[in-house]
Amino acid sequence: MTAIAATMLDGFVPTTWTPLPPLDAGVRVLLGDDDQQLVATAQTQLDRTADIGSAAEAGRIYESMYPHADFVWPRLRAITEVDADYFNTSSPTTVTLADPLPGAPLGDVPISDTARASSLAQALATLHSAAPEPVADAGFPVEDPSRSQFLILERLDQAASTGRVPSSLLQHWEEEFEKVALWHFLATPIHGSLDETSVYTDQERVLALAEIGRLRVADPAIDLAAASALIDPAALPTFYDEYRNSRPRADEHVIARAELLAEFAVLDWLLEAVDSGDETAVEDAAGLLSSFNEVLFGSSADASASAEEPTSESATEPADGGDTRGVAPSSSAPAAAHAPDVEAAITETAAPDVFIPGAQPPSAPSDDDSEFDSEPGSQVRTEPTRDTDETDDGEETGRIR
């Protein structure tokens, strides 16, 4: 990776390297020379070349729309493509060099403090307050509200055909999503890909938003629903109140749509499971829907409908469920005096779960717990003092001769 990076940017000759969490991207390394540090990423897990190109353009759009934002975003410095032999992949691999982001990815510990919940709300309010024209003019997708409503109702029909959704839930969603007033809003620029790997924080606020290649003009409730999966239920009222206060011109139904879309994420998981053909995942998704049905309507609510047997066709088309959480913080090496607050937590993959608002609230950490394993300043992976060094978590860091 260091050899590739040395050919990508004039004047950048890396002399130190530190492995970073892959965040589903493949290989990520923090490289440094005497003057700067950059993050090199090799997209070995899947072909995301199109997203990378979009992210580069999105970065330019962000720069023009949010010059005074309280958060930052990825700034790509160079992009190249290398032969498959470099990383033993089946096709050429895209490698990027970008400025490091401050803080650390959120990971699978939900935001439980009001300070960071408010900070995330303020960041999204800033995103959604910009004019949509620059995004549309740059060729990013523009989603019409009526089209969004149609697609949701279409997915609801598909889910009903599986026979695995309690009828009370189906009726609830049909009645809510068919309300005309719900869809009277102006589409805005949205992030479009918020998750536990794209929100970078310290212990006090949101510092950066990554994965910006899905920028588009659409329903701002999409971002709010995605953010709600990253926030402890106890902090959600603060999050929504702060969003309202920070964006007073938001349409009056944006929070209601966000809450409905957050509920609907469980149904989307069922559809993905059915499409991919994993019976275990289908059963898991159906169980979550039944649990959510009980939370909303009580144990007496249409239990017979929730137990309705699927047709032979739907029973044999289950699937691979997706997870909404990904990584968990672990300990890291001490920081050097002048090291930037970059990739603060070295993380490792944790078991996936699916968060249903109200149905499976994650337990809030105790007052003695913190979001990270040590003080903010100690979360930075720094240049080692030896030629090679084995860290506590088994990762190697090194000096390049």
Side-chain angles (χ1 to χ4, degrees):
M1 183 76 88
T2 56
I4 295 169
T7 68
M8 294 174 64
L9 196 64
D10 290 342
F12 181 59
V13 182
T15 57
T16 63
W17 58 272
T18 305
L20 296 174
L23 304 182
D24 297 327
V27 180
R28 297 173 71 239
V29 181
L30 180 65
L31 301 175
D33 61 12
D34 293 336
D35 298 319
Q36 61 185 326
Q37 289 184 313
L38 296 174
V39 176
T41 304
Q43 306 287 338
T44 59
Q45 297 301 316
L46 65 167
D47 183 6
R48 299 182 57 194
T49 305
D51 279 354
I52 293 169
S54 296
E57 179 63 24
R60 290 188 283 271
I61 298 295
Y62 269 58
E63 200 75 47
S64 65
M65 292 195 304
Y66 311 114
H68 305 298
D70 291 332
F71 58 91
V72 298
W73 47 87
R75 291 171 170 85
L76 294 183
R77 301 281 294 277
I79 303 174
T80 192
E81 191 174 83
V82 299
D83 292 339
D85 295 343
Y86 275 91
F87 297 99
N88 285 327
T89 54
S90 59
S91 60
T93 299
T94 300
V95 177
T96 62
L97 275 181
D99 290 331
L101 295 174
L106 183 62
D108 67 347
V109 180
I111 294 173
S112 58
D113 56 290
T114 57
R116 288 189 301 157
S118 295
S119 181
L120 181 54
Q122 292 163 5
L124 294 182
T126 298
L127 281 177
H128 301 161
S129 296
E133 287 80 10
V135 180
D137 292 345
F140 288 92
V142 176
E143 299 175 5
D144 181 78
S146 60
R147 176 65 175 170
S148 300
Q149 180 189 27
F150 171 79
L151 292 176
I152 287 175
L153 294 175
E154 185 177 53
R155 296 207 307 275
L156 196 57
D157 288 341
Q158 293 171 356
S161 69
T162 68
R164 308 309 297 266
V165 185
S167 62
S168 297
L169 269 182
L170 286 172
Q171 182 178 355
H172 161 67
W173 282 326
E174 286 173 353
E175 291 175 352
E176 293 299 323
F177 283 116
E178 287 179 351
K179 290 179 178 178
V180 176
L182 198 69
W183 302 96
H184 286 172
F185 67 90
L186 295 177
T188 70
I190 69 169
H191 180 279
S193 189
L194 286 175
D195 62 17
E196 71 283 351
T197 68
S198 63
V199 178
Y200 281 61
T201 78
D202 59 10
Q203 292 180 313
E204 297 180 354
R205 65 186 183 92
V206 172
L207 301 176
L209 296 178
E211 304 298 332
I212 60 175
R214 301 295 177 89
L215 173 69
R216 61 188 187 272
V217 177
D219 185 356
I222 294 172
D223 279 349
L224 299 184
S228 71
L230 307 177
I231 300 173
D232 188 282
L236 273 177
T238 296
F239 170 75
Y240 288 134
D241 287 346
E242 185 61 41
Y243 181 83
R244 279 287 189 196
N245 292 335
S246 300
R247 189 174 171 242
R249 298 182 63 182
D251 71 277
E252 62 178 317
H253 299 293
V254 66
I255 305 301
R257 287 197 312 280
E259 292 173 337
L260 287 169
L261 290 174
E263 296 174 6
F264 211 64
V266 188
L267 187 141
D268 280 336
W269 186 40
L270 173 66
L271 291 179
E272 291 173 4
V274 170
D275 286 343
S276 62
D278 183 341
E279 180 63 32
T280 300
V282 171
E283 293 299 329
D284 288 345
L288 286 170
L289 286 166
S290 296
S291 174
F292 190 31
N293 186 64
E294 292 181 6
V295 169
L296 284 184
F297 306 110
S299 58
S300 62
D302 201 7
S304 62
S306 65
E308 181 181 340
E309 289 295 324
T311 64
S312 59
E313 179 180 349
S314 65
T316 57
E317 284 188 24
D320 206 337
D323 71 86
T324 59
R325 311 257 171 150
V327 288
S330 68
S331 60
S332 62
H338 303 292
D341 183 17
V342 170
E343 291 290 339
I346 299 300
T347 60
E348 58 188 25
T349 303
D353 61 15
V354 173
F355 172 61
I356 308 175
Q360 290 184 321
S363 58
S366 67
D367 292 339
D368 294 332
D369 294 337
S370 73
E371 294 293 325
F372 301 103
D373 291 324
S374 56
E375 294 302 315
S378 68
Q379 302 299 315
V380 183
R381 296 300 298 266
T382 62
E383 175 185 334
T385 57
R386 292 176 290 176
D387 285 351
T388 58
D389 182 37
E390 187 73 18
T391 61
D392 292 339
D393 55 6
E395 293 177 329
E396 289 186 353
T397 60
R399 175 175 294 279
I400 303 163
R401 294 191 180 278

